[in-house]
Amino acid sequence: MPGEPSPAPDRAHDLLRSLVRTLTGVELAETAAYVVLSLGAAFVGSLAAVLLVPLVQPGHTLPFGSVLFDAGRSVEMQAAIFAAAMAAFALLRWQAARLGARLVGRYGLSLRRRVHARLIDARLTSLADSTSAEIANVLTHNVELIVQGFSALQQLLIAGVTAAVSLGFAFWVSPPLMLAAPLLAGLGLLTSRAYGREQSLVSRQYVVDMTRLFWHSEDFPRRLRHVRSFEKEDVEKASYGAISARLCHGYRRQLELVASGRLMLELLAAVGIAAVFVLAHRWHGIDQPSLIAVCLLLGRLLPYLVSTRQSFQQLRSAAPAFELWQRYMHLDPDRSSVALSRKTTSNDALHIERMRLIPQATGLDVDDLVLVPGELTLISGDSGIGKSSLVDVLAGMMTPEAFVARAGERIIGFDEYRELVRHGAYVSQSVRPWQHSVRECLLWTAPEATDEMLRGVLTDVGLDKRLASSQHGLDTALHSSSSRLSGGELQRLLLAQVILRQPFLALLDEATSALDAASEIVVLSALKRRLPQTILIVVSHRPGVAVIADQCLNIGNNLVTTVAGKCGPATSFKESAVVDLSTGKCVVNSSAPT
């Protein structure tokens, strides 16, 4: 599973290179501007620190910068120069912070858009081993971790620029005092890498546990009913609590590691500053103003010690999240590049002479299947036998092992078939509308539709009376407590989308499972009536649908498919139905002979 803890070494440097490669040209240009602003702020800040010296020791001549630090100037003038430098420093830092905030926000937006677009365009087969919880994590919390890592990278950049400029000023003030800098830098580097391996392991486990928490939170209302019916509330609480406890431990341990690193850095800083004073006392020729200036410059770096350590920790935390994001960015896109040789009209029948797919260990062959616009094809078979896989192939979303077909009289390959059926509609029983209201749900399909058109399709699927009883009408909320639509009503709403779509090919994978048998026949009959130019394929376990079907494709237990033209009398099933297509009324007889 992506994000599992592994004994791999610290990957902060690899993450740094990968993060930089994900930046666009505009973002790189803005990053360069951010570096320039940060450099300017560091320079002016260091200058302001040195300008404090004549204020601390007025009247003393400094052995450096005679123009800036003229001992003959009044204290008021020196204070004004210092204030001007501090104001410039504050403005530059503020401008850099604004640009940095814009960069971080835009980077997070870019990450989300790119991975979501890749998921939308991905092949279905490449998502076969991915859980919806992991995908939800990638699109939400996981990106937040990466953005925090990018923000930490910015803070490290500021710290590095500030340190370089401050140390440069300190060397200019007193080269002898800076002889200890390499030793201090080496100790600081060792300290920054302390606990790095443990931090990497903790971060990876944190990503794994967060994904498991998303899994526990999926479709919670339905899950709750299932849990309560089995009286497993305590087990569910314990399981959720165990994951929460691991997350708590991981978060606590990350903060402890930050605190431990901060302690080491602060102790190192104390020892380093003390060493500078001892060196200044022992080394002859070092005057007091120079010592004060160096201490002020080094003191500017103290706040960055803590933030630098914390930034390294955030980078390590972002590493496993970024690896998971990259894994989904490497999904192969499912796009056909084959151009149509001519435009196929909606009256052309599709004749699939031979098609072979592999839903299970053995192959599933479909021969001599003719799909005619305006006709309904019923696909039946036991659960798990491959009906949904067959529908995925017919929808052009999965590639079969073999495919031979004709559009009219012209032979076509599967890529061209996919282009022909691209103007389609696919509805399955597990899809629930995610929009806020009925109007939003329907306009998602047909943005230009009028209210009259929306009410018309709602009448076709039998939702008009339900909305007439609501004071909100088309603006009825789908999931609020006062107007929540039932499972069957939500399925009717999705079928209304199909009518608005007017697709060339419509595939309903048990999309009427929440309706009773009579309502299913009525709604499907309405779809046939309203979609005379649409190839309609319906997957259903109810044999009564065969009454209105023009042909039936049955998958037997031995994975042998049989295609029968007009499905024949309903007495061959356990249930019969009589439909009056002019009135839409249906009578179901469950006592018909088999």
Side-chain angles (χ1 to χ4, degrees), residues 4 16 30 59 111 143 160 249 277 279 286 354 401 413 452 522 537:
E4 288 286 354
L16 175 61
E30 290 190 341
L111 290 181
V143 173
H249 169 75
F277 278 106
L279 180 62
I286 296 180
R354 180 174 180 271
E401 186 179 87
E452 183 180 358
V522 171
I537 298 177

Side-chain angles (χ1 to χ4, degrees), residues 145-444:
L145 292 178
I146 303 174
V147 171
Q148 289 175 13
F150 184 72
S151 179
L153 187 60
Q154 284 188 340
Q155 299 306 312
L156 287 173
L157 182 62
I158 293 175
V161 169
T162 303
V165 173
S166 296
L167 292 175
F169 263 82
F171 186 80
W172 170 56
V173 170
S174 180
L177 286 176
M178 296 311 299
L179 293 177
L183 176 61
L184 295 178
L187 292 175
L189 180 62
L190 290 176
T191 305
S192 68
R193 297 184 64 84
Y195 310 110
R197 179 181 175 81
E198 182 180 359
Q199 175 67 26
S200 179
L201 295 176
V202 169
S203 300
R204 293 175 185 281
Q205 184 61 47
Y206 187 84
V207 171
V208 172
D209 289 332
M210 186 58 69
T211 299
R212 289 171 178 164
L213 202 63
F214 269 86
W215 177 78
H216 258 277
S217 308
E218 280 189 303
D219 202 6
F220 191 81
R222 292 186 179 185
R223 183 189 184 101
L224 180 60
R225 292 180 176 89
H226 183 74
V227 169
R228 285 182 177 174
S229 67
F230 280 80
E231 298 182 304
K232 292 296 184 181
E233 293 93 335
D234 292 338
V235 175
E236 194 72 4
K237 290 176 183 177
S239 177
Y240 188 90
I243 297 175
S244 299
R246 288 197 299 271
L247 284 170
C248 174
H249 169 75
Y251 192 73
R252 174 180 60 82
R253 189 55 187 154
Q254 288 185 47
L255 294 179
E256 288 176 349
L257 291 172
V258 170
S260 299
R262 182 172 58 199
L263 173 63
M264 295 181 65
L265 284 171
E266 289 173 344
L267 291 176
L268 176 62
V271 172
I273 292 175
V276 170
F277 278 106
V278 172
L279 180 62
H281 178 72
R282 297 293 184 183
W283 200 304
H284 297 290
I286 296 180
D287 58 287
Q288 190 174 16
S290 298
L291 177 61
I292 293 174
V294 171
C295 288
L296 288 172
L297 288 167
L298 295 181
R300 289 193 69 236
L301 303 180
L302 289 179
Y304 290 104
L305 292 178
V306 176
S307 63
T308 297
R309 174 64 188 176
Q310 190 166 357
S311 295
F312 274 115
Q313 301 287 0
Q314 287 179 328
L315 268 179
R316 292 190 180 100
S317 297
F322 190 73
E323 289 173 0
L324 185 58
W325 181 86
Q326 282 188 310
R327 186 171 77 85
Y328 280 90
M329 283 301 297
H330 290 156
L331 296 175
D332 293 329
D334 187 17
R335 290 297 188 196
S336 174
S337 59
V338 176
L340 296 180
S341 58
R342 67 179 181 89
K343 180 177 177 60
T344 302
T345 67
S346 59
N347 293 321
D348 286 340
L350 296 177
H351 184 186
I352 300 176
E353 298 178 355
R354 180 174 180 271
M355 180 170 65
R356 180 178 177 81
L357 60 149
I358 307 178
Q360 298 177 346
T362 56
L364 178 65
D365 290 292
V366 177
D367 298 323
D368 202 24
L369 175 63
V370 181
L371 303 175
V372 180
E375 295 188 356
L376 187 153
T377 298
L378 171 65
I379 298 179
S380 59
D382 292 340
S383 297
I385 205 166
K387 299 188 299 297
S388 294
S389 297
L390 174 58
V391 170
D392 284 341
V393 173
L394 291 174
M397 297 183 185
M398 290 182 62
T399 304
E401 186 179 87
F403 184 85
V404 179
R406 287 184 287 110
E409 299 299 324
R410 182 169 51 86
I411 297 177
I412 60 173
F414 188 70
D415 285 335
E416 189 171 349
Y417 169 84
R418 292 169 65 182
E419 291 299 325
L420 290 173
V421 302
R422 186 173 295 282
H423 182 71
Y426 190 130
V427 182
S428 69
Q429 63 175 336
S430 58
V431 173
R432 298 174 66 86
W434 57 88
Q435 294 84 3
H436 174 70
S437 67
V438 172
R439 184 191 302 275
E440 288 181 12
C441 182
L442 296 179
L443 291 181
W444 177 83

